[in-house]
Amino acid sequence: MTHDPDRGVLVRRVGSTSAWTTPEMTAYVNEDHLQRIIAEDPDRVLGVPEGAIAVRELPTSAGPADVCIVSPDGALTVVECKLASNSERRRMVIGQVLDYAAAIWRDGEAAFHEQWARRGGDDLHALGEGGFEQLGRNIAAGRIHLCLAVDQIDADLRRLVEYLNQITRDDITVTALQLSYARHGDLEILIPSTYGGEIAAAKARAAAGTTTRWTKDTFLDSIGSDADRASAEKLFALLDEVDDRRGTHDDLWYGNKPGGGVFFHPYELRYAPIQLWINKSGQLMAYGIWYQYDEIKYHRGFAELAHLVGQDHQSTAEGFPIAGLTDLDRIWSITVRCAEHINRPDAEPDHRDVDPDTGVI
């Protein structure tokens, strides 16, 4: 039996006894129409949660990406849209979405933020806890999910999705989204279906089963220079010297390799003032964490630490190289004071005045 896609949806008015009819319109006006629908409702894309934000036609060095979606946790998805009527669909859509993702990675975090703002995107600083920082790390690591949005998924596209999931990293998902569209009078009909979700979920489960956390030794071994390694060793040693136990948290918390950080918890207190991480060039970096915890976001106890690295504790934290700090003993003493301030029992911001020249409360 042959299938006529134009007769996949039939309509008639409620209570009518007349024959069912084909909708007045059973196709998109153009690819711009499909883009708009996805950008207005980005959580239609597999793996994108509610609360995600999107922009259309994000400029990159490889050309404009159809739709870019940022999830509250900083996950980034690039969507390429193609209609069945577009003869490029099967041959070009894969190359284009890979090209745009590669360009975002190569152009870097600053370029992404600039182009996002130019396209009128929502404030990325308003992402969920740690989302802004994680977005930057995802861009730096090329951790960008791919979605192929079409009006009709066929066997060729399914094969391409299967293959790309097979050959890409476990932390990158490739999916297809089919949004069949029809319109009848002032009624719009959208019939979504997806492909690749089970494959992506299997990849995620496999990744979870093989994911390993940093240890002190593996973290130190992954640092690219002797000077940075010596700095990390000194910071670890300074933490070991803090023997006054005031909380129940481990003094070090290790994230997952290779992109996760190592969080320092002086006195074994709940909130960490600082984390170390290693960028893709092997350089030892650090973040102040005044933006990450909702309960103490912008706490004035972070002011002195932020001031030391030329940042503002009332703004988003930016990574800074440890190599740029000439006095590790000083930054450590400030980090310890910060831990004391931000871990007071009420865990609320300190409203005492901050000296604008020193950042000291």
Side-chain angles (χ1 to χ4, degrees):
M1 178 182 295
T2 61
H3 173 66
D4 181 355
D6 288 344
R7 298 188 63 83
V9 177
L10 299 175
V11 297
R12 73 177 182 184
R13 295 192 178 278
V14 175
S16 172
T17 59
S18 60
W20 292 88
T21 60
T22 301
E24 296 169 359
M25 180 177 179
T26 57
Y28 291 95
V29 176
N30 48 36
E31 286 173 3
D32 180 82
H33 187 188
L34 177 57
Q35 283 184 28
R36 175 167 50 81
I37 288 175
I38 294 171
E40 290 172 351
D41 195 9
D43 58 4
R44 290 287 178 195
V45 175
L46 267 172
V48 174
E50 185 177 352
I53 52 180
V55 299
R56 299 171 57 198
E57 299 290 343
L58 182 98
T60 76
S61 57
D66 284 354
V67 182
C68 282
I69 303 170
V70 178
S71 299
D73 64 357
L76 176 58
T77 303
V78 174
V79 183
E80 179 67 13
C81 301
K82 283 289 181 287
L83 300 180
S85 59
N86 189 327
S87 60
E88 295 180 330
R89 183 169 58 95
R90 287 198 294 268
R91 291 186 176 88
M92 299 296 293
V93 65
I94 297 295
Q96 286 177 313
V97 74
L98 288 171
D99 204 13
Y100 299 144
I104 290 171
W105 167 67
R106 179 61 66 188
D107 296 345
E109 179 183 3
F112 181 86
H113 292 163
E114 179 183 355
Q115 299 300 345
W116 180 278
R118 286 185 176 179
R119 295 299 298 164
D122 292 342
D123 185 5
L124 292 171
H125 293 90
L127 295 174
E129 180 178 345
F132 182 85
E133 292 79 8
Q134 186 59 45
L135 172 62
R137 291 192 284 272
N138 287 336
I139 293 172
R143 196 178 300 111
I144 302 171
H145 304 301
L146 311 176
C147 177
L148 316 172
V150 296
D151 52 347
Q152 184 179 346
I153 295 175
D154 59 16
D156 290 336
L157 192 57
R158 286 194 293 270
R159 185 184 67 247
L160 290 170
V161 168
E162 291 170 6
Y163 177 70
L164 283 176
N165 275 298
Q166 179 68 31
I167 66 170
T168 52
R169 290 168 12 195
D170 288 338
D171 56 356
I172 294 176
T173 63
V174 184
T175 60
L177 170 65
Q178 175 179 297
L179 290 174
S180 300
Y181 177 85
R183 192 180 72 195
H184 194 70
D186 59 359
L187 176 67
E188 289 186 297
I189 303 165
L190 197 64
I191 306 174
S193 58
T194 58
Y195 186 74
E198 292 184 358
I199 302 170
K203 286 179 66 175
R205 288 193 297 271
T210 58
T211 293
T212 56
R213 292 188 180 276
W214 288 115
T215 65
K216 185 184 294 186
D217 289 340
T218 58
F219 187 81
L220 290 171
D221 288 345
S222 297
I223 298 173
S225 74
D226 292 341
D228 273 352
R229 192 174 303 109
S231 295
E233 289 173 340
K234 179 166 184 176
L235 289 171
F236 284 130
L238 289 168
L239 180 63
D240 286 341
E241 293 172 7
V242 180
D243 55 6
D244 182 4
R245 181 183 176 93
R246 304 182 189 178
T248 60
H249 203 290
D250 291 339
D251 60 352
L252 282 169
W253 186 88
Y254 295 98
N256 292 329
K257 298 171 59 178
V262 178
F263 292 73
F264 282 65
H265 294 261
Y267 305 118
E268 301 183 356
L269 294 168
R270 176 183 180 187
Y271 299 117
I274 199 169
Q275 66 161 305
L276 300 183
W277 57 286
I278 303 170
N279 69 15
K280 64 182 180 181
S281 300
Q283 185 178 24
L284 181 65
M285 304 288 290
Y287 271 116
I289 311 180
W290 48 86
Y291 189 81
Q292 184 154 335
Y293 301 113
D294 282 342
E295 298 89 341
I296 56 168
K297 188 176 290 186
Y298 307 139
H299 194 297
R300 292 192 177 205
F302 285 111
E304 187 179 11
L305 177 60
H307 184 272
L308 179 68
V309 296
Q311 298 184 39
D312 181 359
H313 74 287
Q314 294 181 313
S315 183
T316 302
E318 298 179 359
F320 56 91
I322 291 294
L325 305 172
T326 57
D327 189 346
L328 287 181
D329 290 303
R330 182 182 176 212
I331 192 172
W332 182 250
S333 65
I334 292 172
T335 298
V336 171
R337 282 199 295 273
C338 177
E340 293 177 294
H341 283 304
I342 65 177
N343 282 281
R344 287 176 175 165
D346 56 8
E348 292 180 357
D350 189 329
H351 295 292
R352 288 182 289 168
D353 290 337
V354 175
D355 186 326
D357 296 323
T358 65
V360 177
I361 294 175

